[in-house]
Amino acid sequence: MSSINKTEHQRNESVSSDDEENFLDDEQDEEQINVLEQVQGLFSSDVFPNVVDMFRAYHSQFDLIDFLKKHQIHSQYDYIRLINYIRSEKPSIETLKQLKSSPSPPWTDEKYFETVIDDDPALQFDIEEDLNQLGDLSITTTNGHDHDELKQANERIRQLEDMVETLKSMTSRFLDDQPSKVTTSVKTKNQDDVQDEGYFATYNHYDIHKEMLQDTVRTESYLECIKSNVDVFRNKVVLDVGCGTGILSMACLKYGQAKMVIAVDMSDMIYDAMAIAKENNMDESKLVFIHGRIEDVTLPVEKVDIIISEWMGYFLLFECMLESIIFARNQYLDKENGLVLPDDFSINMSAFHSDRLYHEHVDYWSNVYGFEMNTITKNILADGHVMIVPAEDIVTSDCCIKNLDVYTCSNDDISFTHPFTLQVLKSGSISGFVCHFDVNFSKNLIEKVHFSTSPRSPSTHWKQTIFFLPRLYSVQEGEDIQGKLICQRHPHEKRGLIIHIHVFDSKFKFYLE
């Protein structure tokens, strides 16, 4: 933290809770005052005492509530653009009333975020909170029958929620009375659910999405596949599994000319994706967002033509999102002509030596300001690590240890055993092994696309997965290093892996958690 930020932080910490409450009260009062300030009329130069009085004065000619409903203006952003559009373009009330509902009304242009009148009280009017100040113009009171129906619907929802809670309680008590074997099964499932919640929560924040989007190798490969294969995507129904910010979904519509895209994501980022799609004027009738796991949701169609997803984790299989792709393939993909993109993968292995990396991550702990911390060294050696390995540090050939065809693979493919032979390219030492994966968009495509996470290729956010050895091993050029790699599902971490490497007459075990 810089000295400036640190001072500011300390200053903020010193503010009492009473001061903070007073500040919040003042802020709320200021918002209320803004709404009640004098305001220039929208359709004339008349000055009104406040925004509420202005809309009431126009009500007989321009019903704000009806207009917002007709043009589906639900967000404050849309309302702000509408006000600035009226201020800037000066349409008559009659012109506005004649406008037909459209996915792209004239005020959707980004330029209407620019204010026409500084500190315009009309822009301070919050359509989500301040509409109740319009009295009988409020949405909830414009129609008594609708209001009664809404109250009844809310009451019914409350009753259903109570019923669900009661059923949950009854189910829990019932399961507690069952033999221990059943109870254990239920606890394991709940543990998986908890781990899933933690996993998906990591994708709620924009930082991780920024990192993935800024990975040009990754993002541009997907976009190239879509742009170069328009005839494949045109008029097709596409399922985007784990849509994130929605960039692939929007690309399928904009560049691929897809008929419809269904974007599914369990993380809360999907709500931002909805706003992003609206911001980019995506046709809402063609882009459907669904919040939930693909295994749990119901799609609006029985079959899709294309499944597209960026599901790959470190070591390709970490996070085990492959299972979701397999489920989507089996459940929704058209069996005759359906495509899954990308579709062909391989995991490759080589050996490396880096004095710098070995010292930073292993040797460092043997002498930390005069203290031995080899306890931590043991943990370092038990884990797989994700980092960039310079190409010049690779000392052997590559060996493919796993091929994966997304059309034929199953959940069993996440666990595998494969022998390897690595030819030493230069004499020296080996400090560990490095794994990377290759990705192909290939089957039935006009233009095929490939990218690699190899140390010899441009770097990606996946980097490489490395496994340090407990000591350096000497090797000679031309020598073959033979061994076996075993990949297993982690028994306690749903999305984790355990990697065994048998080599140099020894067995090494690593965790990817």
Side-chain angles (χ1 to χ4, degrees):
M1 184 181 293
S2 70
S3 58
I4 295 175
N5 290 338
K6 187 174 182 180
T7 303
E8 180 70 15
H9 177 71
Q10 291 171 339
R11 182 178 67 80
N12 291 339
E13 287 286 348
S14 67
V15 177
S16 70
S17 60
D18 289 341
D19 291 338
E20 188 172 323
E21 290 177 3
N22 291 336
F23 172 77
L24 292 174
D25 290 340
D26 291 343
E27 190 178 54
Q28 291 169 352
D29 291 342
E30 182 180 346
E31 289 182 1
Q32 182 74 6
I33 290 170
N34 285 339
V35 174
L36 299 178
E37 283 182 352
Q38 287 188 338
V39 59
Q40 180 182 321
L42 285 178
F43 305 104
S44 67
S45 58
D46 297 338
V47 176
F48 294 87
N50 53 63
V51 179
V52 175
D53 283 354
M54 177 185 72
F55 283 127
R56 283 178 175 165
Y58 289 136
H59 180 56
S60 61
Q61 297 175 288
F62 179 75
D63 187 322
L64 175 65
I65 303 298
D66 285 348
F67 192 86
L68 297 181
K69 284 182 177 180
K70 176 181 177 181
H71 295 281
Q72 299 183 11
I73 298 176
H74 305 300
S75 75
Q76 190 68 16
Y77 297 116
D78 290 341
Y79 167 78
I80 288 172
R81 287 190 291 195
L82 169 65
I83 297 300
N84 286 327
Y85 165 75
I86 295 174
R87 295 280 198 210
S88 175
E89 307 302 333
K90 297 180 172 48
S92 66
I93 291 178
E94 193 61 34
T95 299
L96 287 177
K97 290 169 69 174
Q98 291 177 359
L99 283 176
K100 294 183 178 180
S101 178
S102 165
S104 301
W107 52 85
T108 55
D109 194 299
E110 296 297 311
K111 69 181 181 180
Y112 295 120
F113 274 124
E114 297 179 10
T115 57
V116 178
I117 298 177
D118 291 338
D119 300 321
D120 188 351
L123 299 180
Q124 305 294 329
F125 188 81
D126 191 330
I127 64 169
E128 297 175 359
E129 297 182 5
D130 296 332
L131 280 177
N132 58 2
Q133 297 186 50
L134 296 183
D136 58 1
L137 300 187
S138 172
I139 287 178
T140 58
T141 58
T142 51
N143 185 316
H145 178 67
D146 289 345
H147 180 55
D148 291 341
E149 286 191 345
L150 180 60
K151 287 180 64 177
Q152 293 174 7
N154 287 333
E155 177 62 22
R156 182 58 177 159
I157 289 172
R158 187 191 65 77
Q159 293 174 355
L160 290 172
E161 288 174 343
D162 290 343
M163 290 173 62
V164 169
E165 290 304 315
T166 301
L167 288 171
K168 283 182 178 179
S169 177
M170 292 173 60
T171 303
S172 177
R173 291 195 298 270
F174 171 76
L175 291 173
D176 287 342
D177 292 337
Q178 300 306 302
S180 59
K181 183 177 180 180
V182 176
T183 305
T184 302
S185 174
V186 172
K187 287 182 179 179
T188 301
K189 181 178 185 299
N190 288 339
Q191 182 182 8
D192 286 349
D193 290 341
V194 170
Q195 290 178 5
D196 261 359
E197 288 176 4
Y199 165 70
F200 288 114
T202 62
Y203 288 91
N204 287 345
H205 198 265
Y206 60 82
D207 277 345
I208 190 170
H209 295 278
K210 180 182 177 184
E211 180 185 12
M212 292 188 291
L213 291 170
Q214 289 182 332
D215 181 347
T216 56
V217 173
R218 161 201 180 268
T219 307
E220 291 180 2
S221 294
Y222 276 85
L223 294 181
E224 180 186 352
C225 172
I226 296 168
K227 292 178 179 179
S228 301
N229 294 280
V230 177
D231 289 341
V232 175
F233 283 85
R234 184 180 288 115
N235 296 325
K236 296 297 195 301
V237 177
V238 181
L239 171 61
D240 182 358
V241 180
C243 67
T245 59
I247 187 170
L248 298 184
S249 298
M250 293 188 295
C252 288
L253 279 180
K254 182 175 180 178
Y255 304 125
Q257 301 176 23
K259 176 183 178 181
M260 179 186 192
V261 178
I262 304 165
V264 179
D265 202 300
M266 181 60 187
S267 79
D268 290 344
M269 181 55 63
I270 196 168
Y271 299 115
D272 292 290
M274 293 176 186
I276 291 169
K278 191 168 187 178
E279 183 181 351
N280 286 274
N281 299 318
M282 291 289 131
D283 188 339
E284 294 182 4
S285 66
K286 293 184 177 181
L287 180 51
V288 179
F289 288 97
I290 301 178
H291 183 221
R293 297 194 324 147
I294 187 63
E295 294 88 348
D296 301 330
V297 302
T298 301
L299 301 191
V301 297
E302 290 187 2
K303 296 296 178 183
V304 300
D305 303 300
I306 299 173
I307 296 174
I308 192 166
S309 178
E310 193 277 82
W311 59 267
M312 299 82 75
Y314 304 123
F315 193 75
L316 182 64
L317 299 174
F318 178 67
E319 295 183 348
C320 296
M321 193 179 162
L322 175 63
E323 290 182 323
S324 295
I325 306 306
I326 292 171
F327 175 88
R329 178 199 70 191
N330 294 343
Q331 187 76 11
Y332 296 113
L333 187 67
D334 177 76
K335 296 297 188 292
E336 295 293 325
N337 302 302
L339 298 179
V340 183
L341 298 171
D343 58 296
D344 180 69
F345 307 85
S346 64
I347 305 176
N348 302 277
M349 179 181 184
S350 57
F352 78 100
H353 175 65
S354 169
D355 287 328
R356 177 182 63 84
L357 291 177
Y358 203 80
H359 173 72
E360 287 180 0
H361 298 278
V362 182
D363 285 344
Y364 170 78
W365 300 102
S366 63
N367 185 350
V368 182
Y369 298 99
F371 296 95
E372 293 183 5
M373 297 188 179
N374 292 318
T375 297
I376 296 180
T377 303
K378 294 177 183 178
N379 296 331
I380 295 291
L381 294 173
D383 287 337
H385 300 271
V386 177
M387 59 186 69
I388 295 290
V389 178
E392 57 269 23
D393 291 342
I394 303 299
V395 297
T396 70
S397 61
D398 291 345
C399 178
C400 178
I401 55 173
K402 180 67 175 178
N403 284 308
L404 195 72
D405 182 343
V406 78
Y407 291 103
T408 59
C409 66
S410 68
N411 293 343
D412 293 339
D413 280 289
I414 294 173
S415 297
F416 65 90
T417 299
H418 202 286
F420 61 82
T421 299
L422 307 174
Q423 186 178 46
V424 178
L425 303 178
K426 53 185 176 183
S427 299
S429 299
I430 287 179
S431 48
F433 294 95
V434 54
C435 291
H436 72 271
F437 61 87
D438 290 356
V439 179
N440 294 287
F441 304 74
S442 55
K443 183 179 179 182
N444 294 331
L445 294 183
I446 301 168
E447 296 291 337
K448 303 183 188 306
V449 177
H450 164 87
F451 72 86
S452 175
T453 64
S454 166
R456 300 182 178 90
S457 300
S459 61
T460 71
H461 80 283
W462 287 287
K463 303 176 184 178
Q464 289 88 41
T465 304
I466 71 172
F467 306 99
F468 286 112
L469 294 172
R471 68 174 180 84
L472 303 182
Y473 287 82
S474 297
V475 292
Q476 299 296 319
E477 182 178 349
E479 176 185 351
D480 284 342
I481 301 173
Q482 295 184 332
K484 177 171 63 175
L485 183 143
I486 304 168
C487 177
Q488 294 178 331
R489 302 287 294 266
H490 196 297
H492 306 301
E493 295 288 338
K494 178 181 178 180
R495 298 182 180 276
L497 300 171
I498 299 178
I499 307 298
H500 303 263
I501 298 179
H502 299 179
V503 68
F504 299 130
D505 296 323
S506 300
K507 297 180 179 180
F508 305 101
K509 184 178 183 179
F510 306 93
Y511 293 87
L512 290 175
E513 300 175 316

